[in-house]
Amino acid sequence: MARSLRLRLKYIPAVKSSLLRNGFPSQKILAEDLGIAQSTVSHFLNGKPVDYANFIEICRGLNQEWRDIADFEAESPPDEVLPISAKIAIAQSSADHELAVNLSEITNTKQSIIQPLPAAAPELPGGQVDLASRLYIDRPPIESRCYETISQPGALIRIKAPRQMGKTSLMARILHHAEQQGSRTVALSFQLANRRVFANSDTFLQWFCASIGQELGMLEQLPKCWELADLIGSNQCCKAYFEQYLLSESSPPLTLGLDESDRLFESPEIADDFFGLLRALHEEAKRRDIWKKFRLIVVHSTEVYIPLDVNKSPFNVGLPIELPEFNVQQVQDLAKRHGLSWSAAEVAELMSLVGGNPYLVRLGMYHISRQDVTLDRLVKESATEAGIYSDHLRRHLWNLEKYGELMEGMREVTSVSQPVRLKSELGFKLNSMGLVKLDGNHCIPRCRLYEEYFRDRLNGK
């Protein structure tokens, strides 16, 4: 029996994209964290055979179910297989080791190893929906428009929606499509940046360039481009690094996905410089062929609450995408994918509570499909601390409590049964947070769940 496993070819893009999502900006950092050779990680991510124990350990590090993505049919010559790493070898001999792998559980019989699970269990929603997941729901024509746009020279796509609406999942699919078209791709989340990175524009841009360079294996060239920073400024150094190395004449196109971009809004000076730079680089594609190879996806949760110069902002150019909630047909489809044989009335009952919010719908279906709760009980307990939505609701409450005007606006909206006219800025921000819907110039609660919860919590505050 073979002693190695390899990644199925169709899952390679999805697994590679999970590196950053799990806090590993590069293969090297993942290898160091797991204590295995970088070459082993490289072989794993490129569909080459690696030892069983290493394969499973890497899958654990990337939060992947190894049985779902392993290619059990492929035959590997013995000399192709990288030797088991020292750390894993030690783990086998020490049951108490924190990374110990009990090989006896996976090598008893060939049948126990090579048979994938007949059907994957429903996934607990949270964060990006994996590329290989059957639970991602298309929202036509958004995906097709994004795929068409990202293939164009100098493309820019802006994805905006409240939190937990599927922005990162869409970005991952656009990057995957670009990669299939021959582009190099990098997904960069600003949540990975430490607070010190936002000290000033120079530090931030060095981090930005270093993160991309490290992912593309071009980090060594960065110091040379930064030698003249004191003379020409960090923006010019960043531009030079892209032109001389990342977008060299012999290189394929580069598609960059920037997630959690609203993190920059907390640092207005950095945001003004950086978004101005992105706008300038996008405009370069109109006059220089080298920049036609640069495609950009910008993802953010809220509108820009800082006074960016309209001529410097990337938020008024490119293809704007605002993710809508799921419609009835999409919720019905999602129910089937969870193994739920729901009637139209049951779909309507859940949607009357949470609307078409992708996260709230999926969370309800997950717990119902796992038989943790019935639909009737979920509806009755939804706005209470005993309900499955309590963590989600508390996060929104804490955000409101930080800003007295927003909390007062939400109290006003939920205290009456008819639409309420708020100050334009308040209605705009509450809508961007996903808490209210705009009805002309008036506001109404986004869904019954929010109406009931915040009416109870905000009365008397």
Side-chain angles (χ1 to χ4, degrees):
M1 180 183 66
R3 294 176 52 252
S4 65
L5 284 174
R6 68 172 71 195
L7 189 60
R8 287 192 211 174
L9 293 180
K10 70 176 183 178
Y11 290 125
I12 288 177
V15 175
K16 283 184 175 179
S17 71
S18 72
L19 276 168
L20 270 179
R21 188 171 72 252
N22 287 283
F24 302 110
S26 70
Q27 297 179 18
K28 180 180 179 182
I29 292 177
L30 172 61
E32 290 175 349
D33 186 78
L34 297 178
I36 60 180
Q38 185 176 346
S39 58
T40 301
V41 172
S42 177
H43 276 61
F44 170 86
L45 291 172
N46 287 287
K48 296 181 179 180
V50 297
D51 187 274
Y52 275 125
N54 286 336
F55 187 94
I56 295 170
E57 198 62 35
I58 296 171
C59 286
R60 287 181 178 175
L62 296 176
N63 286 315
Q64 301 287 331
E65 171 50 56
W66 69 273
R67 296 177 184 84
D68 292 344
I69 63 176
D71 186 350
F72 296 106
E73 303 300 326
E75 294 293 335
S76 307
D79 58 352
E80 259 192 79
V81 182
L82 290 182
I84 192 166
S85 71
K87 185 169 185 179
I88 298 299
I90 293 172
Q92 291 177 38
S93 63
S94 173
D96 295 328
H97 196 284
E98 63 177 355
L99 293 177
V101 179
N102 188 351
L103 292 182
S104 64
E105 294 181 0
I106 62 172
T107 59
N108 287 336
T109 65
K110 186 175 182 180
Q111 185 74 10
S112 67
I113 297 173
I114 69 171
Q115 294 299 323
L117 298 179
E123 306 153 17
L124 180 65
Q128 177 186 323
V129 180
D130 195 280
L131 283 174
S133 173
R134 70 187 190 283
L135 296 181
Y136 181 83
I137 300 292
D138 282 344
R139 283 172 268 192
I142 288 175
E143 284 80 6
S144 60
R145 288 193 66 196
C146 289
Y147 298 156
E148 178 184 354
T149 300
I150 206 62
S151 301
Q152 299 171 2
L156 171 60
I157 298 175
R158 299 177 285 115
I159 304 174
K160 171 188 174 290
R163 294 184 65 85
Q164 298 178 316
M165 285 288 290
K167 301 181 299 299
T168 304
S169 299
L170 175 60
M171 184 187 82
R173 281 153 180 79
I174 300 171
L175 289 174
H176 176 55
H177 178 82
E179 190 168 32
Q180 289 183 318
Q181 300 299 312
S183 176
R184 295 167 296 160
T185 61
V186 175
L188 180 60
S189 172
F190 291 118
Q191 289 292 352
L192 293 173
N194 296 329
R195 187 174 296 275
R196 62 177 179 79
V197 168
F198 296 96
N200 53 63
S201 288
D202 185 68
T203 302
F204 174 78
L205 281 179
Q206 286 187 54
W207 173 85
F208 173 72
C209 289
S211 298
I212 299 172
Q214 186 177 45
E215 187 68 20
L216 296 175
M218 296 183 178
L219 191 57
E220 294 179 358
Q221 294 89 345
L222 182 60
K224 184 176 180 180
C225 286
W226 230 263
E227 289 176 352
L228 298 178
D230 290 340
L231 292 176
I232 64 175
S234 298
N235 280 10
Q236 286 282 33
C237 291
C238 177
K239 182 170 177 283
Y241 180 54
F242 272 77
E243 289 182 348
Q244 295 175 26
Y245 299 106
L246 303 186
L247 301 175
S248 63
E249 187 175 343
S250 61
S251 64
L254 171 62
T255 305
L256 177 61
L258 302 180
D259 198 10
E260 301 283 355
S261 296
D262 37 308
R263 174 93 188 271
L264 272 68
F265 302 164
E266 302 168 9
S267 306
E269 291 184 6
I270 294 176
D272 187 64
D273 284 347
F274 180 66
F275 290 130
L277 172 63
L278 292 184
R279 174 66 179 264
L281 297 183
H282 173 67
E283 295 294 334
E284 284 286 300
K286 298 177 181 178
R287 65 185 188 90
R288 298 182 60 198
D289 287 344
I290 189 173
W291 284 100
K292 294 184 187 300
K293 298 163 68 172
F294 181 59
R295 292 90 190 263
L296 185 63
I297 309 165
V298 181
V299 176
H300 61 106
S301 294
T302 55
E303 272 289 359
V304 185
Y305 300 133
I306 54 177
L308 289 179
D309 186 329
V310 69
N311 296 313
K312 295 169 64 178
S313 171
F315 295 102
N316 58 356
V317 292
L319 174 66
I321 296 294
E322 293 202 29
L323 289 180
E325 294 186 339
F326 289 157
N327 59 33
V328 173
Q329 291 74 24
Q330 289 162 342
V331 174
Q332 181 75 65
D333 184 15
L334 192 58
K336 291 179 181 177
R337 299 188 193 193
H338 279 81
L340 300 171
S341 300
W342 276 7
S343 65
E346 288 170 308
V347 170
E349 186 172 10
L350 181 62
M351 292 190 71
S352 71
L353 177 69
V354 300
N357 181 291
Y359 172 75
L360 298 179
V361 169
R362 276 195 61 198
L363 187 63
M365 289 182 177
Y366 169 82
H367 284 288
I368 292 171
S369 66
R370 297 295 296 250
Q371 299 182 343
D372 299 329
V373 66
T374 63
L375 177 59
D376 182 62
R377 180 181 161 197
L378 181 150
V379 172
K380 289 179 179 178
E381 296 181 345
S382 60
T384 72
E385 294 301 325
I388 64 170
Y389 298 121
S390 58
D391 288 343
H392 172 86
L393 294 168
R394 278 195 297 270
R395 178 178 63 80
H396 274 305
L397 181 61
W398 292 335
N399 285 336
L400 289 175
E401 288 175 339
K402 294 177 186 176
Y403 305 98
E405 281 193 332
L406 289 179
M407 186 168 72
E408 182 58 38
M410 193 64 188
R411 179 192 294 116
E412 190 174 348
V413 169
T414 57
S415 63
V416 294
S417 57
Q418 65 267 21
V420 172
R421 182 159 187 163
L422 299 175
K423 288 194 300 183
S424 178
E425 183 182 10
L426 290 182
F428 179 74
K429 289 184 177 181
L430 288 172
N431 179 59
S432 293
M433 293 172 68
L435 293 177
V436 305
K437 290 189 288 189
L438 297 179
D439 181 13
N441 293 323
H442 294 72
C443 298
I444 59 176
R446 175 73 61 173
C447 60
R448 197 176 87 233
L449 174 68
Y450 293 161
E451 180 179 14
E452 293 177 358
Y453 180 81
F454 290 109
R455 178 183 295 158
D456 177 73
R457 295 302 186 278
L458 299 182
N459 274 338
K461 277 189 178 284

